[in-house]
Amino acid sequence: MDPTTDNAGQTGDPGTARDALEALRAEIAKAVVGQDPAVTGLVVALLCRGHVLLEGVPGVAKTLLVRALASALELDTKRVQFTPDLMPSDVTGSLVYDTRSAEFSFQPGPVFTNLLLADEINRTPPKTQSSLLEAMEERQVTVDGTPRLLPDPFLVAATQNPVEYEGTYPLPEAQLDRFLLKLTIPLPSRQDEIDVLTRHAEGFNPRDLQAAGVRPVAGPADLEAARAAVAKTTVSPEITAYVVDICRATRESPSLTLGVSPRGATALLATARAWAWLTGRDYVIPDDVKALALPTLRHRVQLRPEAEMEGVTADSVINAILAHVPVPR
């Protein structure tokens, strides 16, 4: 697909859809420097109909990344700044009394969008955090007993700051498990940071993506075609067993109090299939599973306090498991 055409997202052809999604990297790079793994993770989540937790210190372009993705995919996006006084109805919407008709009408909240940026989700109390659970799992919102379907595609990209815990409400395990991927956004390399400053010196405005040249290169039709192709990606019994062995090994690790659930195993299989398709194959190999193991599993395990005090991390435990679980031939 030619990224310069104006009919992005109108083809529905799997091969063209792959080209269009690959073009996202170049398009988003016009606004965000050096975050290819995060871009890939967001695309994988869209293909799997999953949600993403973005973790990184302030100022590493988490919000800009999501906005650029929405612009390049021709999707509607909304942003909610989560604060301690945010109410569930501020997210989902509520019934509003219309004095002219003398009736209550539903006023949709920001969750009714394609790509919801839940900024600093751990700064709001559990009651408001849980207001997203139904939307993330059932893709609908129930207000006054009436379920209302959310648009398709629908993705929640939630951000949280990993270094500041005062005044925060850590996400419970049940809600963490609803996120398909947890992506860590690192600080840029020296050269990437030089590129960022050079762009700003030349007049780059992160609030004006159109001026930066970010244009739609894919759309809902491409996503639908891609999802259908991913669903046909072949998974051998050996690969399925490999995924199960990895997840079962987390439940037996002496460094963990909580291992990966069967839902996590299903998620790993789904993300591996999406990655296999994105790389041009119609079958999954062990390297696909390894490539997505960390972002898919790191938030689904819980470290023992003594292991955490010794400097053990979820990533190091998962890497050790990947190194020891026999790889199918």
Side-chain angles (χ1 to χ4, degrees):
M1 179 176 181
D2 182 359
T4 62
T5 59
D6 293 325
N7 59 346
Q10 302 302 317
T11 61
D13 175 68
T16 304
R18 183 188 287 115
D19 293 340
L21 294 178
E22 280 295 321
L24 281 176
R25 295 185 184 186
E27 204 63 23
I28 293 173
K30 296 177 181 178
V32 181
V33 177
Q35 296 294 356
D36 276 358
V39 174
T40 301
L42 286 165
V43 173
V44 166
L46 282 167
L47 292 177
C48 299
R49 292 182 168 86
H51 309 284
V52 175
L53 184 62
L54 299 169
E55 187 173 271
V57 299
V60 290
K62 298 187 295 294
T63 302
L64 180 61
L65 175 63
V66 176
R67 290 179 53 238
L69 175 69
S71 296
L73 270 175
E74 208 170 26
L75 297 177
D76 180 47
T77 182
K78 291 186 173 69
R79 176 178 179 270
V80 179
Q81 181 66 49
F82 279 71
T83 57
D85 59 348
L86 194 74
M87 299 296 292
S89 59
D90 296 329
V91 178
T92 60
S94 60
L95 295 176
V96 178
Y97 184 73
D98 189 339
T99 55
R100 290 174 294 182
S101 63
E103 294 180 349
F104 285 94
S105 61
F106 178 68
Q107 183 67 36
V111 75
F112 286 86
T113 186
N114 296 123
L115 214 163
L116 177 69
L117 176 60
D119 220 349
E120 294 188 298
I121 190 173
N122 58 337
R123 288 207 171 276
T124 200
K127 182 178 181 180
T128 304
Q129 290 176 4
S130 64
S131 67
L132 277 177
L133 283 178
E134 182 188 13
M136 293 169 66
E137 190 69 18
E138 307 295 336
R139 301 186 181 274
Q140 67 178 25
V141 168
T142 302
V143 177
D144 197 32
T146 303
R148 293 172 171 85
L149 293 178
L150 295 171
D152 185 37
F154 172 69
L155 180 143
V156 174
T159 71
Q160 64 178 11
N161 181 347
V163 296
E164 189 177 352
Y165 294 103
E166 187 175 350
T168 63
Y169 303 84
L171 295 175
E173 298 302 325
Q175 185 159 356
L176 281 172
D177 203 35
R178 295 305 197 281
F179 287 98
L180 180 72
L181 300 172
K182 180 181 178 182
L183 305 175
T184 56
I185 311 296
L187 288 167
S189 66
R190 181 177 183 273
Q191 185 56 54
D192 285 343
E193 195 163 1
I194 290 174
D195 292 344
V196 170
L197 268 63
T198 301
R199 290 187 182 192
H200 281 266
E202 293 172 350
F204 171 71
N205 182 1
R207 296 171 183 82
D208 190 353
L209 294 178
Q210 190 172 3
V214 178
R215 290 176 294 173
V217 295
D222 289 307
L223 275 177
E224 198 56 42
R227 287 170 173 176
V230 169
K232 296 176 183 177
T233 302
T234 303
V235 181
S236 68
E238 291 79 12
I239 292 295
T240 302
Y242 182 51
V243 170
V244 169
D245 289 343
I246 290 171
C247 295
R248 291 182 68 86
T250 65
R251 302 168 203 162
E252 300 167 1
S253 171
S255 299
L256 302 176
T257 59
L258 179 68
V260 177
S261 68
R263 194 211 314 260
T266 303
L268 180 55
L269 186 62
T271 56
R273 291 177 84 182
W275 176 244
W277 180 82
L278 277 173
T279 52
R281 279 180 281 99
D282 60 357
Y283 57 92
V284 180
I285 61 175
D287 283 349
D288 299 323
V289 178
K290 290 182 177 181
L292 273 297
L294 284 179
T296 307
L297 303 181
R298 59 164 58 110
H299 57 296
R300 303 176 192 271
V301 300
Q302 193 171 50
L303 289 167
R304 291 187 182 277
E306 55 270 28
E308 199 166 2
M309 290 177 64
E310 293 172 1
V312 176
T313 64
D315 284 13
S316 65
V317 173
I318 295 169
N319 279 326
I321 288 171
L322 291 174
H324 286 90
V325 172
V327 179
R329 301 296 180 187

